[in-house]
Amino acid sequence: MRTRTSVCILGAGFAALAAARRLRELLPRATIRMVAPTRRFVYRPSLIWIPVGLRTGEQLEVPLEPFLARFGISFTPAEVTGIEARGRLVATSRGMIRNDALLIATGADPVAGPADSNPVHGICGGVAAAERTRAALFNLRKGTIAIGCGVHRDHPGATRCHPMLELAFGIDTSLRRRRVRSRYSLLFFATVLEPFKRFGIAAERKLMAELARRNIEFHGEAPEPYTSGPEMRSLGADLVVFNPGLAGAAWLASSGLPLSAGGFVLADDYCAVPGHDGVFVAGDAGSFPGPAWAPKLAHNARLQARVAAASLHAFIEGQSPTARLHQRLACVIDTVDGGIGVYRDDAHAAATPHGAPLHWAKRAIEKRFLADLELG
């Protein structure tokens, strides 16, 4: 290994934390620096439970100090504004940071709507957004609630449809438990015709059947709820909860890195950025080779991070990378009173029956992850 090797990780989400852990194992003597706006981690998969009262923001936000101390990670609280010298310099709101190798894990931004967009609620914007949605839901005494998701037109895989589906199921369960379900009509909409097709045929059928069983109306290729007028009236909703598609972070546009049509950093099978030695990407910030159904999920972000870390280590050691990325989809579609397990890879696609243990399994994963992070 080079003497005084300096590694810079941009971001503090699932991909960044997984990469930092693995890099410390592979490079015990290296200086590893993480750059992100705040030293707090948000467990985003559980944001779906804030609007229905199952979680609070305080339960899902964890300080990163124990993690940073345990793995000997330096931290710079700053916004990334650009990259120079083909990745060897990172421009931030607190000045330039030099590195010998760079791993980008800054996540993605929501697709922006017009300036005169309607006020709609969401959850993937973070704790504050989820808490506003909770307040709006509990303040609505009756009426129609529309829950939906959008996509990036130039990057169909850049979507947050599955947590919005989980939210629709969770709202239904919550209303039934409160014995007020009859006061509300629920509908789920997507700006694409077949939003669940990426999960595979078996899962798609189960999810559509679950919507029907719960009397949640489905609308495919619905208009994005940004513009006032007939588009909004066509939903007939008293409350709209919507998450737009995802786009690459704004700062990437002037980075000089190769980007996809959606603004995500292009990567090869080793999570390396072509034409930029020593620059790697993991998580929602990247556009990776593989099937169109490949999702942007926390589980996949961690898989990509481990491959990116292995490739970065090989670069530092002057070797060719050997760890390759194999895309897969594995998740639980939660309903609060249960869940549906979904799995897909290049050879298989499967879905489990709806069952209560899957909800508790999802809670157990959350508890274990946050406890480990709090302990460092």
Side-chain angles (χ1 to χ4, degrees), residues 277-294:
D277 290 343
V279 180
F280 305 87
V281 64
D284 289 353
S287 176
F288 304 92
W293 51 259

Side-chain angles (χ1 to χ4, degrees), residues 47-53 121-123 129-147 167-168 170-172 174-175 178 180 184-186 238-241:
L47 290 174
I48 57 171
W49 292 333
I50 290 180
V52 297
H121 296 273
I123 57 170
E131 289 176 338
R132 288 193 296 270
T133 297
R134 181 182 187 276
L137 285 169
F138 278 83
N139 286 334
L140 184 67
R141 301 304 178 186
K142 63 178 180 178
T144 297
I145 303 171
I147 305 102
L167 181 59
I171 290 172
D172 173 75
S174 176
L175 294 175
R178 290 161 51 199
V180 295
Y184 301 85
S185 296
L186 297 184
D238 299 287
L239 174 64
V240 177
V241 187

